[in-house]
Amino acid sequence: SINLKAATANTLTTGSAQTVFVGSTQVAEAAAGAGNNILLTYKAYLSSYPTGGYVAAVADKDTAGLTITGQSAQTESGSTLTIKGGTNTAITAETLTATGAAGLGNFSFTPTVTGAYVMTVWNDQNADGVVNVTEAVQTVSLTITAAATLATTLSTAFMTEPSANGATASSTTNAIARSAYKTVNTGIAQIKVTLNKSDGTADTAAHTVTATVTGTGFVSVDVTANTPGTPATRTATNSAAASVRYVHINSDGTAGSGTVTVTVTHAVTGVTTTLGTFSYTSYDDVVALAVTTTNATIGKAGSTTGRSIAARTVAGNLLGVTDGTSTVPAFIVKATDSAGRAATAVAAPSVVSLTSPAVATGGTCTLDDGALPTTASSSTNGIGFYNCNFATFSGAKSGE
């Protein structure tokens, strides 16, 4: 008799190989004489399948599985598995039961359509390729469902800074405006593209991710975060077998605005879907400074008002910065280029007094880092905004 067991590792979905392990019960038999004697010949086929679903069963020997006593060799050819015994070997009466992970051998098929399948396996004693009434036979049924495939509605694309934190790009970082100086291949931003299947799992198929620039900027696509590289084109693609890809946006040597449209093309269907369009800028040299926010115009004589610090927080006072608790600048300066775009200067602005005798003895400005999440930042991207303080003369009087 024959026993069958479907592999526990079967996905039971289209496009994946479905495996059935085979075992058997042998009766005792005297030695057949000299020679490499055939003991068992197994064959398999799909005896039932959905419309348009027929495929051939393929035999495979299972070297790590069960072994008949006296077995010397296994061979497989198409849908036939042959087990042989050694010279002048008797057959031992024994039962070898297939499991979901091993057997004397196995047969597999890869379904292309959904539905119910039945695999029939038999011991073809007379090698005529026909299931005869005296031959041991067994069947196993498998129900196949559609395999999960790329779901663009569950896939995401989020923009973040160009050289760090690419793996943690999110809707929060995506909301931050991105900009960089116009020098060729200065990193402006990167976009993390995550491809998921309809069941929510990562899709590692070789779908093609394409990034296309309109306006200023160069672009590249790869599987490595935080690497702006040196792209020189406005369209780039990547078809790696990976669920996560990275789009890198760099300056192209000009100042201006640009957008990148990111699409994915299904590796099987060829359908192209847009995952997102992302805007950014590149800026020129600073030509103007202006105070955008004034938190204090009068300070305590002989003290520093406000704090010049990159990372602002909600807490803190304008005065008493010596204890390190204040993060509120006395005023905020915005630097812009000739087109009015926020731009980072080569050197931070300096604070000097224009009154005589001096009321203020000077002050410092520090580029805001645009850190999120916080509403206290002076900028949204760490470009062009400076947090400044000023120090008052010890002899200054109110009204001066």
Side-chain angles (χ1 to χ4, degrees):
S1 64
I2 291 174
N3 62 82
L4 303 177
K5 182 69 173 180
T8 54
N10 286 343
T11 62
L12 298 178
T13 57
T14 55
S16 297
Q18 312 301 317
T19 300
V20 174
F21 291 100
V22 58
S24 67
T25 298
Q26 287 76 240
V27 297
E29 193 73 41
N36 195 24
N37 303 299
I38 294 176
L39 299 181
L40 294 170
T41 299
Y42 292 116
K43 290 186 178 180
Y45 70 103
L46 293 182
S47 53
S48 180
Y49 46 87
T51 301
Y54 179 78
V55 291
V58 179
D60 186 22
K61 57 188 178 184
D62 191 8
T63 57
L66 308 179
T67 304
I68 293 173
T69 301
Q71 176 177 312
S72 65
Q74 282 185 323
T75 59
E76 72 279 350
S77 176
S79 59
T80 301
L81 173 69
T82 301
I83 299 177
K84 296 182 179 182
T87 301
N88 198 27
T89 301
I91 300 175
T92 302
E94 60 185 335
T95 295
L96 301 167
T97 303
T99 70
L104 295 171
N106 67 75
F107 296 91
S108 64
F109 70 99
T110 302
T112 58
V113 298
T114 61
Y117 291 77
V118 176
M119 178 184 285
T120 294
V121 180
W122 84 101
N123 175 212
D124 191 11
Q125 289 178 300
N126 59 4
D128 64 354
V130 177
V131 182
N132 300 308
V133 294
T134 59
E135 293 173 333
V137 63
Q138 187 59 268
T139 62
V140 63
S141 299
L142 301 172
T143 299
I144 304 301
T145 60
T149 188
L150 177 67
T152 55
T153 55
L154 299 181
S155 299
T156 59
F158 295 126
M159 185 166 63
T160 188
E161 58 191 305
S163 301
N165 304 314
T168 58
S170 66
S171 57
T172 298
T173 62
N174 193 64
I176 303 172
R178 299 295 168 183
S179 184
Y181 189 60
K182 67 178 183 180
T183 299
V184 174
N185 277 319
T186 299
I188 299 175
Q190 63 180 316
I191 300 167
K192 180 184 180 183
V193 178
T194 303
L195 303 179
N196 291 317
K197 295 180 181 179
S198 52
D199 61 0
T201 61
D203 192 336
T204 57
H207 305 300
T208 300
V209 172
T210 302
T212 304
V213 168
T214 300
T216 187
F218 289 146
V219 71
S220 63
V221 188
D222 57 31
V223 296
T224 306
N226 311 327
T227 56
T230 57
T233 60
R234 302 189 192 280
T235 298
T237 63
N238 179 273
S239 300
S243 62
V244 176
R245 322 287 176 85
Y246 290 92
V247 176
H248 304 281
I249 308 166
N250 289 10
S251 296
D252 65 2
T254 62
S257 300
T259 60
V260 165
T261 299
V262 178
T263 64
V264 59
T265 301
H266 197 288
V268 177
T269 66
V271 174
T272 298
T273 304
T274 298
L275 296 178
T277 299
F278 306 85
S279 300
Y280 55 87
T281 60
S282 57
Y283 56 84
D284 211 333
D285 297 326
V286 172
V287 299
L289 300 174
V291 174
T292 62
T293 304
T294 300
N295 297 317
T297 56
I298 300 176
K300 181 180 178 181
S303 298
T304 298
T305 299
R307 192 172 186 190
S308 175
I309 188 172
R312 293 182 54 190
T313 65
V314 176
N317 301 308
L318 285 171
L319 301 178
V321 301
T322 55
D323 62 8
T325 61
S326 176
T327 62
V328 179
F331 55 91
I332 300 168
V333 171
K334 179 181 181 181
T336 56
D337 64 9
S338 59
R341 293 177 289 258
T344 297
V346 175
S350 57
V351 179
V352 297
S353 175
L354 298 181
T355 60
S356 183
V359 173
T361 59
T364 58
C365 295
T366 301
L367 180 66
D368 187 81
D369 65 4
L372 290 181
T374 175
T375 57
S377 293
S378 300
S379 65
T380 57
N381 54 21
I383 300 295
F385 288 81
Y386 295 83
N387 300 321
C388 305
N389 64 17
F390 67 90
T392 54
F393 179 61
S394 59
K397 296 180 178 60
S398 177
E400 290 186 315

